[in-house]
Every structure is written in structure tokens, then in C-alpha cells.
Amino acid sequence: MTSLALPGSFLDVNKTCHGRHAARNSIIRCNVAEPLMFSKENGRPGMPLQVNGDPSFTNLLNANQLRRFPVAHGHNDTRLRIFSGTANPALSQEIASNMGLELGKIMIKRFADGEIYVQLQESVRGCDVYLVQPTCPPANENLMELLIMIDACRRASAKNITAVVPYFGYARADRKTQGRESIAAKLVANLITEAGADRVLACDLHSGQSMGYFDIPVDHVPGQPVILDYLASKTICSDDLVVVSPDVGGVARARAFAKKLSDAPLAIVDKRRHGHNVAEVMNLIGDVRGKVAVMVDDMIDTAGTIAKGAALLHQEGAREVYACTTHAVFSPPAIERLSSGLFQEVIITNTIPVAEQNYFPQLTILSVANLLGETIWRVHDDCAGGFEPYSSLGID
């Protein structure tokens, strides 16, 4: 027996922000009771309908009044496709697994001269495509790969293309600090847009103004919920906590983090930078004596800033020092600095893959796969935030 869902006032379809969950059980279906009949008025085919098996409710509708109600998105939604680049395939696989989907089939290879070749191994015509590719080191190669993936999807007639960029490279080049400098963050944003992306989903951009560099919608997902959940599981007395910003530029981020940690007090490390990747700590603003200091930053590159900050915190009497960051770039000599004994624990996420040879005892890696997966579902379902624990942290 054919099953159709019919639009109209007698159908109460629950269209909520959690449509993919609720609509599965709330769609009222109209079962075809008899074969097609033809209207005497215009000769068009129609059919008598029974609503939910009730023979007392019948209605003859013309075929031009009938349309199929879209089936609610399920875990086997064929219109949602996720493809992974080569930068972080483990994260991509975890995102897809958490969403109950399979990664799309794609061929990515390098020619002998270093050129990148991309071919989709399945059709994406009319699909909502998500390309997971952080532009982490090697940044230029991974960025070019992302651009070619976007171009391949555009030429394959994908309906929507979302670049899921857990780590957005060149984000630190977001303004001119000296004369005759480039603003590479804007350039990269233009490249992604011109390649054919319809939307960007990024995690913990270095600065908020980077979102304004894109001429397409940007979903900015903070990685703080994952780290906060982990810290909440540790037996640290809230009265002993102090959140520390490793520089003046990160005060807003540290303040928001401190507010979520029972409104912990805030301290600031004042530093003076003499060159790129070179930092010198000058003094500390705030009191950390006898407390557990939690240093918060969006990324750790060479670890010069955060290591010198930790040394200063110990000099000022901090009992323990934790380092929390979303993006672990870990350029040399970051591993040596982080594993030198300054930190009780270094807490990072997996937006950037960390090679096993770079593991050290104090390192803890948390996954953002569930966070990104839920955000992808919400973008796909055209829904906003509003669920715990992420609603208060800026997913909109």
C-alpha cells in the first residue's frame, strides 16, 4: 500500500529545532485507500484518502494538489555527504561515525611535481556536502587541497558546499601591525569563497574579526565546551582556581572561560614580543599565589609564550599550572618546552593531528568530533543553537 504524507491544516507536523529527531515519530501519513480516479471537472487524476487508516475521513484531491512531504533527516540521509581531506582523516572519520554516516569516497593524490589531484568517487549532485580539512601544517598544501576539493564538488553540481575547517591557518595574519604587511587571513577567506564554498564552519578562530573577512556565512564553534567538561570532571576546588590569559589579546577568551568555571578570578600575563615566534614575559597582573592556574589560549605554536608564562606563574607562587588550548600546532621546540615539568597537564583538542612521537606524559587530547558533528546536523537541518551544554557558548 502506497504511503504518502499530505500538506494541509489537518496535518500537525512538528517542525522544531530538533526536527531530525522529533519529526520521525510525528509525521502523520495518509494511506491510499483506492486506485486513482479522475475528476469530472478537469479530467485530472485524483485519489480518495484515508488519514491514519480512518475510513470516515476521505477526500478526493487532484494530482496537482498532491506533493510528497520531505522525509525527516535520518542517520542514512543520502543528501548529506561528508568528505575528508588528508590533513586530519581520523577526526573526519570520528565525526562521521558520531553522526551515523559513512565518509564519502574521494581520491586525493599528489603528482610527482607536487600538484594535487582530487576526484569524487560518488555522485554529489543536489547534495549538501561538508568537506573536513583543517589548514594545519603543511598549511599551504592543505589549503590548496581544500580549494581543489571545493572546486571538484562545485563542478559535480553539489547543492551546498560547506568547508569544515577545524583549524583555520593564516588566522593570525588578521591585521597590519606594521607598514607594507599583507592581511593573509582575508586573502585565504577570498580564496575559499571564490573556489565555490557556500559556507564555512570553523572552530576557535584566532580573532573574531576573521569571520567578517568572508562574504559567505561562517559558523564559529568554540572548543571551550569540550575542555570545560573535562576540567569539571577533575577534583579541583573552585576556590583554588584562577584562569590566566597568556597575553593581553586573549583576555576576552580567558574571561569567558573563567565565567564558566564558577566565575573564577582572572590573571593576565603581560608580554612584549620582539619578533615572530619570540616572546618575552614582563610581569603578571593578578594574584596566583597558592592557586591552581589554568592558562587558556586558542593555540600553542612554539609554546614560547605559554612556557614563559608558566615559569612566571611558578615564580609568583602558583601551586599547579594547567595549559588549555584548542589548536596544538606544536612547531619545534614546543614539545621540549611543554614536557619540561612546568605544567601539571597540557590539555588540547584534536582539531590538528598530533603525531605519536610528539606525545608526552602530561599531554591530554580531547575530541571535538561530537561538537562538530552536532553543528553539522544543525546547519543541515537549518536549525539554531539552544541545547545544553553548547547553547550558552555561541553556536548559533
Side-chain angles (χ1 to χ4, degrees):
M1 183 177 291
T2 307
S3 179
L4 293 174
L6 198 68
S9 60
F10 59 90
L11 288 182
D12 182 19
V13 180
N14 183 15
K15 294 183 179 179
T16 67
C17 189
H18 300 280
R20 70 175 190 280
H21 302 299
R24 294 172 190 157
N25 300 322
S26 62
I27 294 179
I28 300 176
R29 296 193 176 275
C30 302
N31 297 321
V32 179
E34 297 179 13
L36 281 169
M37 296 170 55
F38 291 86
S39 171
K40 295 180 180 180
E41 297 179 0
N42 54 24
R44 293 179 178 175
M47 60 180 68
L49 302 173
Q50 290 183 359
V51 179
N52 287 347
D54 184 2
S56 63
F57 187 94
T58 60
N59 184 24
L60 183 63
L61 294 178
N62 294 329
N64 64 331
Q65 294 176 284
L66 290 173
R67 66 179 176 86
R68 289 186 178 274
F69 193 85
V71 178
H73 299 307
H75 289 308
N76 57 350
D77 186 356
T78 57
R79 290 295 177 183
L80 173 59
R81 302 292 178 83
I82 300 178
F83 293 92
S84 173
T86 60
N88 197 345
L91 175 59
S92 305
Q93 183 61 63
E94 191 176 354
I95 291 172
S97 298
N98 287 350
M99 298 176 67
L101 301 172
E102 296 287 338
L103 280 178
K105 297 177 182 179
I106 186 172
M107 177 191 295
I108 303 175
K109 64 181 182 180
R110 266 76 173 167
F111 291 109
D113 61 353
E115 294 181 2
I116 300 172
Y117 173 82
V118 173
Q119 182 190 31
L120 303 177
Q121 301 289 293
E122 57 187 72
S123 174
V124 295
R125 184 178 298 275
C127 292
D128 199 4
V129 177
Y130 294 81
L131 306 175
V132 184
Q133 174 80 341
T135 53
C136 53
N140 297 332
E141 191 166 319
N142 288 330
L143 173 61
M144 193 65 197
E145 183 179 304
L146 173 63
L147 298 176
I148 298 175
M149 290 170 65
I150 294 171
D151 183 71
C153 291
R154 180 175 61 87
R155 297 180 187 279
S157 300
K159 183 178 180 181
N160 292 301
I161 304 171
T162 300
V164 181
V165 189
Y167 170 71
F168 181 64
Y170 287 102
R172 285 173 286 184
D174 56 2
R175 65 191 186 281
K176 293 179 68 172
T177 58
Q178 301 178 46
R180 301 176 297 282
E181 284 186 335
S182 68
I183 303 179
K186 172 59 177 172
L187 173 62
V188 173
N190 288 343
L191 290 172
I192 293 175
T193 303
E194 291 301 320
D198 299 294
R199 193 180 201 97
V200 170
L201 196 163
C203 187
D204 263 343
L205 291 171
H206 184 65
S207 58
Q209 67 259 30
S210 296
M211 288 185 281
Y213 295 158
F214 290 89
D215 297 324
I216 54 178
V218 176
D219 292 291
H220 185 215
V221 182
Q224 288 185 1
V226 178
I227 299 174
L228 285 166
D229 284 347
Y230 176 76
L231 288 176
S233 67
K234 302 182 74 66
T235 56
I236 303 175
C237 179
S238 59
D239 294 335
D240 293 338
L241 277 175
V242 57
V243 175
V244 182
S245 174
D247 54 33
V248 176
V251 171
R253 181 185 303 107
R255 185 186 294 115
F257 196 89
K259 187 176 180 180
K260 301 299 178 183
L261 284 178
S262 303
D263 204 11
L266 183 67
I268 305 169
V269 176
D270 178 37
K271 71 173 185 180
R272 305 295 170 91
R273 189 181 294 277
H274 296 288
H276 295 295
N277 296 329
V278 177
E280 180 180 355
V281 172
M282 301 301 293
N283 51 51
L284 177 69
I285 304 171
D287 182 24
V288 298
R289 188 168 301 278
K291 294 183 178 293
V292 176
V294 179
M295 302 188 73
V296 180
D297 208 349
D298 63 314
M299 71 175 70
I300 295 178
D301 189 356
T302 61
T305 297
I306 205 163
K308 290 185 177 181
L312 177 64
L313 293 176
H314 283 292
Q315 293 175 12
E316 295 294 329
R319 191 167 80 241
E320 293 176 350
V321 178
Y322 288 79
C324 300
T325 189
T326 304
H327 309 300
V329 181
F330 285 0
S331 302
I335 302 302
E336 290 77 4
R337 289 170 172 169
L338 295 173
S339 60
S340 62
L342 290 171
F343 299 97
Q344 180 75 14
E345 192 171 0
V346 178
I347 304 167
I348 65 172
T349 70
N350 61 344
T351 57
I352 298 175
V354 179
E356 289 191 14
Q357 62 265 28
N358 290 333
Y359 288 0
F360 52 93
Q362 298 90 345
L363 184 66
T364 298
I365 303 176
L366 307 177
S367 177
V368 295
N370 189 54
L371 181 64
L372 293 176
E374 182 62 35
T375 306
I376 289 173
W377 269 127
R378 289 177 172 273
V379 172
H380 180 62
D381 287 344
D382 293 326
C383 294
F387 64 103
E388 292 296 337
Y390 308 129
S391 62
S392 60
L393 290 164
I395 302 176
D396 57 2

